[in-house]
PDB file of all heavy atoms in Angstrom:
ATOM      1  N   ILE N 454      83.895  37.001  48.394  1.00 98.00           N
ATOM      2  CA  ILE N 454      82.955  38.022  48.277  1.00 98.00           C
ATOM      3  C   ILE N 454      82.457  38.331  46.847  1.00 98.00           C
ATOM      4  O   ILE N 454      81.272  38.500  46.607  1.00 98.00           O
ATOM      5  CB  ILE N 454      83.436  39.312  49.018  1.00 98.00           C
ATOM      6  CG1 ILE N 454      83.468  39.123  50.521  1.00 98.00           C
ATOM      7  CG2 ILE N 454      82.731  40.603  48.655  1.00 98.00           C
ATOM      8  CD1 ILE N 454      84.158  40.210  51.310  1.00 98.00           C
ATOM      9  N   TYR N 455      83.335  38.369  45.905  1.00 98.00           N
ATOM     10  CA  TYR N 455      82.941  38.885  44.475  1.00 98.00           C
ATOM     11  C   TYR N 455      82.419  37.753  43.790  1.00 98.00           C
ATOM     12  O   TYR N 455      81.635  37.943  42.787  1.00 98.00           O
ATOM     13  CB  TYR N 455      84.044  39.873  43.931  1.00 98.00           C
ATOM     14  CG  TYR N 455      84.026  40.997  44.686  1.00 98.00           C
ATOM     15  CD1 TYR N 455      85.085  41.261  45.733  1.00 98.00           C
ATOM     16  CD2 TYR N 455      83.137  42.042  44.563  1.00 98.00           C
ATOM     17  CE1 TYR N 455      85.119  42.434  46.416  1.00 98.00           C
ATOM     18  CE2 TYR N 455      83.179  43.244  45.203  1.00 98.00           C
ATOM     19  CZ  TYR N 455      84.141  43.380  46.191  1.00 98.00           C
ATOM     20  OH  TYR N 455      84.124  44.503  46.973  1.00 98.00           O
ATOM     21  N   ALA N 456      82.770  36.575  44.162  1.00 98.00           N
ATOM     22  CA  ALA N 456      82.178  35.357  43.562  1.00 98.00           C
ATOM     23  C   ALA N 456      80.732  35.329  44.009  1.00 98.00           C
ATOM     24  O   ALA N 456      79.748  35.136  43.176  1.00 98.00           O
ATOM     25  CB  ALA N 456      82.934  34.006  43.884  1.00 98.00           C
ATOM     26  N   THR N 457      80.481  35.556  45.253  1.00 98.00           N
ATOM     27  CA  THR N 457      79.105  35.589  45.700  1.00 98.00           C
ATOM     28  C   THR N 457      78.284  36.735  45.056  1.00 98.00           C
ATOM     29  O   THR N 457      77.222  36.417  44.637  1.00 98.00           O
ATOM     30  CB  THR N 457      79.067  35.828  47.272  1.00 98.00           C
ATOM     31  OG1 THR N 457      79.931  34.833  47.898  1.00 98.00           O
ATOM     32  CG2 THR N 457      77.743  35.883  47.840  1.00 98.00           C
ATOM     33  N   GLN N 458      78.890  37.814  44.911  1.00 98.00           N
ATOM     34  CA  GLN N 458      78.123  38.887  44.173  1.00 98.00           C
ATOM     35  C   GLN N 458      77.656  38.648  42.802  1.00 98.00           C
ATOM     36  O   GLN N 458      76.581  38.835  42.438  1.00 98.00           O
ATOM     37  CB  GLN N 458      79.055  40.118  44.260  1.00 98.00           C
ATOM     38  CG  GLN N 458      78.299  41.426  43.734  1.00 98.00           C
ATOM     39  CD  GLN N 458      79.078  42.631  44.085  1.00 98.00           C
ATOM     40  OE1 GLN N 458      79.218  42.949  45.301  1.00 98.00           O
ATOM     41  NE2 GLN N 458      79.481  43.481  43.233  1.00 98.00           N
ATOM     42  N   LYS N 459      78.696  37.967  42.112  1.00 98.00           N
ATOM     43  CA  LYS N 459      78.327  37.610  40.673  1.00 98.00           C
ATOM     44  C   LYS N 459      77.271  36.414  40.623  1.00 98.00           C
ATOM     45  O   LYS N 459      76.400  36.540  39.847  1.00 98.00           O
ATOM     46  CB  LYS N 459      79.568  37.318  39.888  1.00 98.00           C
ATOM     47  CG  LYS N 459      79.421  37.116  38.444  1.00 98.00           C
ATOM     48  CD  LYS N 459      78.618  38.099  37.651  1.00 98.00           C
ATOM     49  CE  LYS N 459      79.425  39.419  37.404  1.00 98.00           C
ATOM     50  NZ  LYS N 459      78.604  40.515  36.743  1.00 98.00           N
ATOM     51  N   VAL N 460      77.482  35.512  41.516  1.00 98.00           N
ATOM     52  CA  VAL N 460      76.520  34.346  41.538  1.00 98.00           C
ATOM     53  C   VAL N 460      74.979  34.967  41.750  1.00 98.00           C
ATOM     54  O   VAL N 460      74.035  34.682  41.108  1.00 98.00           O
ATOM     55  CB  VAL N 460      76.719  33.352  42.630  1.00 98.00           C
ATOM     56  CG1 VAL N 460      75.641  32.372  42.824  1.00 98.00           C
ATOM     57  CG2 VAL N 460      78.061  32.527  42.274  1.00 98.00           C
ATOM     58  N   GLN N 461      75.030  35.976  42.769  1.00 98.00           N
ATOM     59  CA  GLN N 461      73.709  36.497  43.038  1.00 98.00           C
ATOM     60  C   GLN N 461      73.222  37.244  41.889  1.00 98.00           C
ATOM     61  O   GLN N 461      71.984  37.257  41.526  1.00 98.00           O
ATOM     62  CB  GLN N 461      73.814  37.386  44.268  1.00 98.00           C
ATOM     63  CG  GLN N 461      74.040  36.584  45.504  1.00 98.00           C
ATOM     64  CD  GLN N 461      74.279  37.478  46.845  1.00 98.00           C
ATOM     65  OE1 GLN N 461      74.493  38.573  46.635  1.00 98.00           O
ATOM     66  NE2 GLN N 461      74.029  36.925  47.993  1.00 98.00           N
ATOM     67  N   GLN N 462      74.069  38.021  41.135  1.00 98.00           N
ATOM     68  CA  GLN N 462      73.588  38.845  39.934  1.00 98.00           C
ATOM     69  C   GLN N 462      73.033  37.867  38.813  1.00 98.00           C
ATOM     70  O   GLN N 462      72.231  38.142  38.177  1.00 98.00           O
ATOM     71  CB  GLN N 462      74.828  39.619  39.324  1.00 98.00           C
ATOM     72  CG  GLN N 462      75.136  40.783  40.183  1.00 98.00           C
ATOM     73  CD  GLN N 462      76.399  41.519  39.708  1.00 98.00           C
ATOM     74  OE1 GLN N 462      76.959  41.163  38.693  1.00 98.00           O
ATOM     75  NE2 GLN N 462      76.917  42.395  40.462  1.00 98.00           N
ATOM     76  N   LEU N 463      73.582  36.625  38.839  1.00 98.00           N
ATOM     77  CA  LEU N 463      73.115  35.691  37.722  1.00 98.00           C
ATOM     78  C   LEU N 463      72.075  34.709  38.299  1.00 98.00           C
ATOM     79  O   LEU N 463      71.649  33.809  37.597  1.00 98.00           O
ATOM     80  CB  LEU N 463      74.305  34.905  37.302  1.00 98.00           C
ATOM     81  CG  LEU N 463      75.474  35.529  36.587  1.00 98.00           C
ATOM     82  CD1 LEU N 463      76.669  34.699  36.180  1.00 98.00           C
ATOM     83  CD2 LEU N 463      74.913  36.259  35.401  1.00 98.00           C
ATOM     84  N   GLY N 464      71.399  35.034  39.438  1.00 98.00           N
ATOM     85  CA  GLY N 464      70.287  34.492  39.846  1.00 98.00           C
ATOM     86  C   GLY N 464      70.427  33.120  40.694  1.00 98.00           C
ATOM     87  O   GLY N 464      69.555  32.438  40.905  1.00 98.00           O
ATOM     88  N   GLY N 465      71.722  33.005  41.179  1.00 98.00           N
ATOM     89  CA  GLY N 465      71.978  31.885  42.031  1.00 98.00           C
ATOM     90  C   GLY N 465      71.924  32.269  43.438  1.00 98.00           C
ATOM     91  O   GLY N 465      71.820  33.401  43.785  1.00 98.00           O
ATOM     92  N   LYS N 466      71.806  31.210  44.372  1.00 98.00           N
ATOM     93  CA  LYS N 466      71.639  31.539  45.842  1.00 98.00           C
ATOM     94  C   LYS N 466      72.810  31.067  46.624  1.00 98.00           C
ATOM     95  O   LYS N 466      72.946  29.843  46.684  1.00 98.00           O
ATOM     96  CB  LYS N 466      70.341  31.053  46.321  1.00 98.00           C
ATOM     97  CG  LYS N 466      70.018  31.380  47.836  1.00 98.00           C
ATOM     98  CD  LYS N 466      68.652  31.165  48.241  1.00 98.00           C
ATOM     99  CE  LYS N 466      68.538  29.585  48.443  1.00 98.00           C
ATOM    100  NZ  LYS N 466      67.262  29.161  49.182  1.00 98.00           N
TER     101      LYS N 466
END
Side-chain angles (χ1 to χ4, degrees):
I454 286 177
Y455 293 97
T457 299
Q458 184 160 302
K459 188 49 77 179
V460 168
Q461 291 178 341
Q462 286 172 7
L463 296 181
K466 183 168 74 164

